[in-house]
């Protein structure tokens, strides 16, 4: 009976081990499945959000806003009062764009975004943009997607670690649906939200982004947002023209950054009863400009961007639109009205690009690029310099236009604009907002720029005795036990033996002298390190090993040096 019990017990233990082994795989499959579900729900939510904005725009601004319409002056101010009261007393977490709120949810609140915040973001951002505030829907869409992921993650009872991973998955879905551009969304989440990625999280982010775009295209179609002719750079001087656009965009982005950096904290420092009226004052300012003759600055402005791409405006009016949009965006965003900065950045960039293109076509008719190509490149230029996501900006322009021939001008001009912005404004605007809000979120741009120490930076020569594992115990030199650490070359790797262990082996040599050194030491081997690996990668191993050999990648069995815990600590101190 006891033997049967032992067999049953052994079978139960094996089954338990198999369950433990397969549990991570099942959880990973569930995570991928939930990522698709998040993408679908986020896509539907963003489509509803955009439809609400369009409906409210027609309802509040009219089907064809024109100068001297009294509603353009009254509606933004009245709706601004509603926004101020709602953000003050009902939905205090929905102010601003949503990007920093998403990052705060990940790094401070373990991925938690309340359902109340999602509802408030949807309603108030749609009302804000629909009434004419100079803001955009893309950043709030990112926040809504992260909120969907948070809600689903809580419902299925995910762990805290998984909840932190779920936020970026939803954020990518929301942004992908808003831009109708999955690659852009994936890159932005990696560049600005999480900063790094593994194969598992990348797969989930891609699945959610693609699922959201499939849903969005079900309603909107698969056509690109903007269409321009193919870009053929027949004359190398054309790149100089795009380089000039990069310089202009880089300096213009600094103007918007400095304006927001100045006005936002001053409005937020007002007494609470005065902050309530800040969106109304911003709405009155935007509405007055629209009433007096420039209704193009109301709301998102995609129609105006398209008109600029088709050379419908003069250079002077394009520059006027860019300057006024910069002012209205500063007032609208600083007031705390819910809405994003992505669309205003694209608007300003499109106006500047179209102005440069129109100017160069007039004075340099030999250049072959269309005004639309300059406007499109200008969008990427301003986005790269202002948001400080250079890689995202390149793919965003290609996906929004469906035109991959524009990649060379975009890369050249975006790089110039990014370098100018980075040199003259060391702190990115999104990080400026976190400091103004009293938060200390990770600066992903600084993390990308940090120089990571490698194993080779702390490496020292192999100045310890090295023994062949095939040697017999009886042949060992007794003086070897005086070394603090001895490296033993075994057939399947290296073994680092401490002084006490070697003394014990020498004492046993009298009885087991016919055994080899490799047969006498423990079966485990030291981990294999290489010079190019991150130095921090070695730290966990010093708990079990006094010294780590560093191997050559090209020559198996060749040790380039050794590493101790003290070597690592000394290098970090330097």
């Amino acid at each position: 009976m006891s033997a049967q019990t032992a067999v049953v017990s052994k079978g139960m233990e094996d089954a338990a081990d198999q369950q433990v082994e397969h549990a991570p795989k099942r959880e990973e499959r569930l995570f991928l499945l939930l990522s698709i579900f998040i993408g679908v729900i986020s896509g539907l939510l963003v489509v509803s959000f955009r439809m609400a904005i369009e409906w409210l725009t027609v309802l509040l601004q009219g089907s064809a806003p024109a100068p001297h319409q009294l509603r353009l002056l009254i509606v933004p101010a009245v709706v601004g009062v509603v926004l101020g009261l709602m953000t003050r007393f009902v939905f205090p977490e929905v102010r601003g764009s949503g990007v920093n709120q998403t990052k705060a949810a990940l790094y401070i609140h373990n991925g938690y975004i309340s359902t109340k915040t999602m509802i408030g973001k949807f309603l108030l951002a749609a009302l804000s943009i629909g009434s004419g505030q100079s803001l955009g829907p893309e950043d709030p869409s990112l926040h809504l997607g992260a909120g969907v992921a948070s809600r689903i993650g809580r419902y299925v009872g995910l762990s805290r670690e998984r909840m932190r991973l779920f936020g970026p998955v939803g954020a990518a879905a929301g942004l992908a649906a808003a831009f109708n551009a999955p690659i852009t969304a994936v890159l932005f989440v990696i560049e600005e939200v999480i900063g790094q990625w593994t194969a598992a999280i990348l797969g989930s982010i891609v699945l959610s982004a693609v699922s959201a775009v499939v849903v969005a295209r079900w309603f909107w179609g698969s056509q690109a947002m903007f269409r321009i002719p193919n870009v053929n750079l027949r004359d190398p001087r054309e790149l100089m023209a795009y380089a000039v656009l990069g310089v202009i965009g880089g300096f213009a982005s600094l103007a918007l950054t400095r304006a927001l950096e100045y006005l936002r904290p001053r409005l937020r420092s007002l007494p609470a009863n005065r902050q309530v009226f800040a969106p109304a004052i911003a709405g009155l300012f935007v509405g007055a400009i629209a009433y007096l003759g420039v209704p193009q600055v109301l709301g998102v402005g995609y129609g105006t961007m398209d008109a600029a791409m088709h050379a419908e405006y003069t250079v002077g009016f394009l520059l006027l639109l860019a300057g006024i949009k910069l002012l209205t965006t500063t007032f609208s965003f600083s007031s705390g009205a819910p809405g994003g900065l992505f669309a205003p950045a694209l608007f300003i960039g499109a106006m500047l690009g179209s102005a440069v293109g129109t100017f160069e076509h007039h004075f340099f008719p030999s250049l072959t690029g269309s005004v639309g190509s300059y406007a499109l490149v200008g969008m990427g230029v301003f986005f790269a310099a202002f948001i400080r996501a250079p890689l995202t900006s390149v793919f965003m322009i290609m996906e929004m236009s469906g035109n991959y021939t524009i990649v060379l001008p975009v890369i050249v001009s975006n790089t110039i604009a990014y370098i100018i912005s980075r040199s003259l404004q060391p702190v990115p605007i999104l990080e400026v907002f976190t400091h103004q809000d009293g938060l200390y979120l990770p600066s992903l741009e600084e993390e990308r720029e940090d120089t990571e120490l490698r194993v080779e930076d702390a490496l020292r020569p192999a100045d310890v005795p090295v023994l062949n594992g095939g040697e017999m115990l009886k042949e060992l030199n007794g003086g070897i036990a005086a070394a603090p650490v001895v490296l033993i070359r075994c057939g399947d790797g290296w073994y680092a033996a401490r002084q006490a262990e070697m003394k014990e082996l020498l004492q046993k040599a009298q009885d087991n002298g016919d055994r080899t050194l490799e047969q006498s030491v423990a079966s485990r081997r030291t981990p294999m390190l290489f010079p190019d690996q991150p130095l921090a990668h070695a730290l966990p191993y010093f708990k079990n090993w006094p010294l780590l050999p560093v191997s050559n990648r090209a020559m198996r069995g060749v040790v380039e040096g050794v590493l101790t815990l003290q070597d690592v600590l000394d290098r970090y101190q330097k």
Side-chain angles (χ1 to χ4, degrees):
M1 186 66 180
S2 61
Q4 292 178 351
T5 302
V7 171
V8 172
S9 177
K10 182 66 168 64
M12 293 177 64
E13 290 178 359
D14 292 342
D17 291 341
Q18 291 178 0
Q19 290 179 356
V20 171
E21 180 180 351
H22 294 302
K25 295 182 179 180
R26 286 199 300 268
E27 186 177 10
E28 184 175 337
R29 288 195 293 267
L30 174 64
F31 197 77
L32 293 174
L33 183 62
L34 288 175
S35 300
I36 298 175
F37 186 64
I38 287 172
V40 173
I41 299 300
S42 298
L44 291 172
L45 187 61
V46 170
V47 168
S48 303
F49 178 57
R50 295 291 291 271
M51 291 176 65
I53 292 174
E54 293 174 3
W55 181 77
L56 286 170
T57 300
V58 175
L59 178 67
L60 298 176
Q61 300 179 27
S63 57
H68 309 300
Q69 292 181 350
L70 196 59
R71 68 193 302 170
L72 299 184
L73 184 64
I74 297 175
V75 168
V78 173
V79 173
V81 174
V82 176
L83 293 174
L85 292 172
M86 295 293 283
T87 54
R88 174 71 176 87
F89 298 106
V90 185
F91 301 109
E93 301 297 325
V94 304
R95 297 164 62 98
S97 70
V99 176
N100 279 353
Q101 291 93 327
T102 301
K103 291 176 66 175
L106 299 181
Y107 295 104
I108 299 176
H109 306 298
N110 298 320
Y112 178 81
I113 299 175
S114 69
T115 305
K116 177 182 176 181
T117 299
M118 288 176 56
I119 295 173
K121 197 72 171 185
F122 185 102
L123 295 177
L124 297 191
L127 187 60
S128 172
I129 300 168
S131 68
Q133 294 280 3
S134 183
L135 301 168
E138 293 83 8
D139 324 29
S141 298
L142 179 146
H143 197 193
L144 289 173
V148 169
S150 177
R151 177 67 267 178
I152 293 176
R154 297 197 304 273
Y155 182 80
V156 300
L158 290 179
S159 64
R160 182 172 63 180
E161 180 183 1
R162 286 293 186 182
M163 284 292 291
R164 287 176 176 171
L165 296 177
F166 238 30
V169 171
L175 190 60
F179 271 127
N180 196 13
I183 300 177
T184 299
V186 171
L187 290 176
F188 181 81
V189 168
I190 292 175
E191 272 195 298
E192 189 55 43
V193 179
I194 59 177
Q196 57 185 349
W197 53 273
T198 60
I201 187 62
L202 179 62
S204 299
I205 289 176
V206 169
L207 281 177
S208 67
V210 170
S211 302
V213 168
V214 168
V215 171
R217 290 182 178 179
W218 183 284
F219 292 90
W220 298 328
S222 59
Q223 65 274 11
M225 187 178 296
F226 301 108
R227 289 187 174 276
I228 64 168
N230 288 341
V231 178
N232 298 315
L233 291 174
R234 300 175 182 175
D235 189 341
R237 291 178 300 174
E238 189 101 28
L239 283 179
M240 294 298 297
Y242 288 109
V244 170
L245 176 56
V247 173
I248 294 174
F251 282 104
S253 71
L254 291 175
L256 180 57
T257 300
R258 298 289 171 81
L260 289 167
E261 189 177 11
Y262 174 82
L263 185 60
R264 185 173 182 267
R266 282 159 177 77
L267 293 183
R268 291 178 66 86
S269 64
L270 293 174
N273 59 341
R274 294 186 183 180
Q275 286 189 38
V276 171
F277 297 100
I281 295 173
L284 183 62
F285 177 71
V286 176
I289 291 176
Y291 177 80
L292 293 174
V294 193
Q296 291 88 348
V297 299
L298 292 171
V300 181
Y302 283 141
T304 305
M305 296 184 216
D306 189 69
M309 288 185 182
H310 290 86
E312 296 183 14
Y313 303 132
T314 63
V315 172
F317 190 66
L318 288 167
L319 294 177
L320 177 67
L321 285 177
I324 291 178
K325 190 69 172 180
L326 190 150
L327 291 175
T328 55
T329 301
T330 300
F331 276 91
S332 293
F333 189 82
S334 300
S335 71
L341 291 170
F342 287 6
L346 297 178
F347 184 102
I348 297 171
M351 299 306 113
L352 293 176
S354 183
V356 171
T358 303
F359 176 85
E360 292 180 345
H361 267 234
H362 180 74
F363 289 98
F364 304 97
S366 61
L367 299 181
T368 59
S370 65
V371 173
S373 67
Y374 281 95
L376 198 61
V377 171
M379 294 165 67
V381 162
F382 200 91
F383 189 91
F386 178 64
I387 304 296
R388 300 279 273 273
L391 188 59
T392 299
S393 67
V394 173
F395 283 89
M396 177 185 66
I397 296 306
M398 290 192 296
E399 285 193 292
M400 290 177 67
S401 65
N403 192 332
Y404 293 89
T405 62
I406 202 171
V407 62
L408 186 58
V410 169
I411 290 176
V412 171
S413 55
N414 284 18
T415 301
I416 294 173
Y418 178 77
I419 291 174
I420 291 174
S421 175
R422 182 67 193 273
S423 301
L424 301 179
Q425 177 69 26
V427 182
I429 187 61
L430 295 178
E431 188 178 347
V432 169
F433 294 156
T434 64
H435 295 167
Q436 292 176 354
D437 296 339
L439 304 176
Y440 293 94
L441 300 176
S443 173
L444 302 181
E445 184 179 55
E446 289 186 4
E447 289 183 7
R448 291 195 298 268
E449 297 294 331
D450 283 345
T451 301
E452 187 177 32
L453 290 177
R454 303 286 175 179
V455 170
E456 62 189 1
D457 296 323
L459 192 64
R460 63 183 174 87
D463 51 0
V464 297
V466 179
L467 302 180
N468 192 332
E471 292 187 44
M472 298 295 180
L473 286 180
K474 62 183 179 181
E475 298 176 355
L476 290 178
N477 182 0
I480 202 70
V485 182
V486 174
L487 270 181
I488 302 173
R489 183 187 288 108
C490 304
D492 54 349
W494 293 88
Y495 186 88
R498 291 180 173 88
Q499 187 180 54
E501 188 175 0
M502 290 303 301
K503 288 182 178 179
E504 185 178 350
L505 288 176
L506 290 174
Q507 291 175 359
K508 293 179 179 179
Q510 299 176 357
D511 301 326
N512 301 298
D514 293 334
R515 291 175 60 85
T516 63
L517 189 55
E518 182 176 351
Q519 294 171 338
S520 304
V521 299
S523 59
R524 70 182 191 277
R525 298 291 177 258
T526 59
M528 186 175 294
L529 293 181
F530 299 100
D532 58 284
Q533 289 180 306
L535 186 58
H537 183 70
L539 288 173
Y541 300 123
F542 291 115
K543 179 181 178 181
N544 300 317
W545 301 98
L547 177 142
L548 298 173
V550 180
S551 303
N552 186 295
R553 287 192 181 274
M555 293 177 283
R556 186 181 181 89
V558 174
V559 173
E560 292 197 4
V562 294
L563 199 64
T564 64
L565 178 59
Q566 192 59 47
D567 296 330
V568 176
L569 297 179
D570 290 344
R571 184 63 187 85
Y572 276 118
Q573 287 179 353
K574 294 179 181 179

